[in-house]
């Protein structure tokens, strides 16, 4: 199946669908929403110039490529308020074949726009990816931007959450040094439903079974043992 470029009307329809999803989430009692703007999903596809080759107002220059993601953020803010909305981004992530030729310029602009909206947080996923990813572009993530925090902190003054392969020791050190306000854990929580007491008591951790990620059924989903 070959993807087709969305029409401008279809883009507006998708923004409306995101807004409807936010309305349903609020009705269901959600405290807030995080927009997934990373890892090659739709938001990321519009941001990165390797995937966004549009010639209209949603593609081309950086401002145009940021238009669709910012429209969705604005829709979320309209429903929840800016202090209940966050976003996850991967400026140099390679997951799902993502790449941008000028990530500094792109995310400098994008983060300044986000900062103006005074949202609750930005979750910044660093390089390298958690597993070796084939590089179609001949440039490693860290070759483009070695330290995401040092690079982008000055463009966003809200809550900054570090993400990707942090140990508890590195997380505590990063927060103590003021690099991040929080650290998020994903795969370790999948493998350790009792991650918090394990860390509190210095208990050993279960190792994540990567072969079961994104599959159906209980294996790798609800069968990891508690300590």
């Amino acid at each position: 199946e070959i993807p087709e470029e969305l029409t401008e009307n279809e883009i507006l329809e998708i923004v409306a669908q995101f807004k409807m999803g936010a309305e349903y989430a609020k009705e269901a009692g959600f405290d807030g929403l995080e927009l997934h703007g990373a890892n090659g999903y739709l938001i990321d596809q519009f941001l990165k110039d390797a995937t966004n080759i549009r010639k209209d107002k949603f593609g081309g220059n950086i401002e145009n490529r940021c238009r669709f993601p910012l429209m969705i953020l604005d829709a979320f803010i309209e429903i929840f308020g800016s202090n209940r909305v966050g976003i996850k981004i991967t400026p140099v992530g390679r997951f799902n074949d993502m790449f941008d030729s000028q990530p500094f310029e792109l995310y400098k602009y994008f983060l300044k726009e986000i900062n103006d909206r005074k949202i609750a947080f930005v979750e910044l996923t660093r390089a390298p990816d958690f597993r070796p990813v084939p590089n179609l572009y001949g440039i490693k993530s860290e070759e483009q931007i070695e330290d995401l925090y040092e690079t982008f902190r000055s463009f966003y003054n809200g809550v900054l959450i570090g993400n990707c392969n942090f140990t508890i020791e590195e997380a505590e050190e990063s927060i103590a040094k003021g690099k991040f306000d929080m650290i998020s854990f994903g795969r370790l929580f999948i493998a350790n439903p009792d991650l918090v007491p394990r860390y509190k008591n210095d208990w050993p951790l279960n190792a994540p079974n990567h072969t079961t990620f994104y599959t159906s059924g209980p294996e790798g989903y609800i069968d990891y043992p508690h300590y």
Side-chain angles (χ1 to χ4, degrees):
E1 182 176 349
I2 300 175
E4 294 182 3
E5 184 176 285
L6 291 167
T7 67
E8 290 191 21
N9 285 337
E10 287 173 330
I11 289 174
L12 297 179
E13 182 180 346
I14 289 173
V15 173
Q17 290 170 343
F18 269 96
K19 184 178 180 180
M20 184 181 297
E23 292 171 343
Y24 288 158
K26 187 174 184 180
E27 183 180 340
F30 279 50
D31 295 310
L33 293 178
E34 178 182 29
L35 180 61
H36 199 331
N39 296 353
Y41 299 116
L42 187 61
I43 304 304
D44 206 20
Q45 291 173 29
F46 269 82
L47 288 170
K48 303 288 175 63
D49 60 12
T51 44
N52 188 343
I53 55 175
R54 302 178 66 93
K55 305 300 182 183
D56 58 7
K57 66 181 181 181
F58 292 100
N61 62 38
I62 287 172
E63 292 82 356
N64 284 352
R65 284 185 275 130
C66 291
R67 190 185 308 276
F68 173 68
L70 291 173
M71 288 173 67
I72 294 176
L73 272 181
D74 289 339
F76 281 6
I77 291 169
E78 185 177 342
I79 303 302
F80 273 93
S82 59
N83 65 328
R84 297 280 181 168
V85 173
I87 187 171
K88 180 177 182 177
I89 57 174
T90 50
V92 289
R94 295 287 182 265
F95 196 60
N96 285 325
D97 297 337
M98 297 310 297
F99 179 79
D100 190 84
S101 62
Q102 296 180 306
F104 173 77
E105 289 80 4
L106 169 61
Y107 283 91
K108 175 184 176 181
Y109 173 84
F110 193 46
L111 283 169
K112 284 183 175 180
E113 288 290 319
I114 291 172
N115 192 66
D116 290 343
R117 286 162 170 78
K118 295 179 171 55
I119 64 173
F121 65 87
V122 169
E123 186 178 12
L124 190 61
T125 299
R126 66 183 182 178
D129 296 285
F130 67 93
R131 284 182 290 175
V133 176
N135 184 359
L136 303 179
Y137 306 98
I139 304 174
K140 295 181 179 179
S141 299
E142 56 271 23
E143 288 181 272
Q144 287 191 293
I145 299 177
E146 183 176 358
D147 189 320
L148 295 182
Y149 169 83
E150 294 291 344
T151 303
F152 292 121
R153 172 76 276 191
S154 62
F155 305 123
Y156 175 74
N157 57 24
V159 173
L160 193 62
I161 303 175
N163 173 258
C164 194
N165 266 9
F166 280 86
T167 64
I168 186 64
E169 294 80 12
E170 186 184 8
E172 290 175 339
E173 180 183 0
S174 296
I175 293 173
K177 290 182 176 180
K179 292 188 67 173
F180 294 99
D181 300 293
M182 301 177 183
I183 302 295
S184 62
F185 296 88
R187 292 177 300 280
L188 286 179
F189 252 122
I190 294 174
N192 298 273
D194 55 346
L195 183 65
V196 173
R198 282 178 188 258
Y199 274 150
K200 282 185 175 180
N201 295 282
D202 197 27
W203 294 336
L205 303 179
N206 298 323
N209 181 2
H210 295 284
T211 63
T212 62
F213 286 3
Y214 304 105
T215 58
S216 58
E219 184 182 2
Y221 185 55
I222 59 171
D223 61 345
Y224 286 104
H226 289 244
Y227 181 74

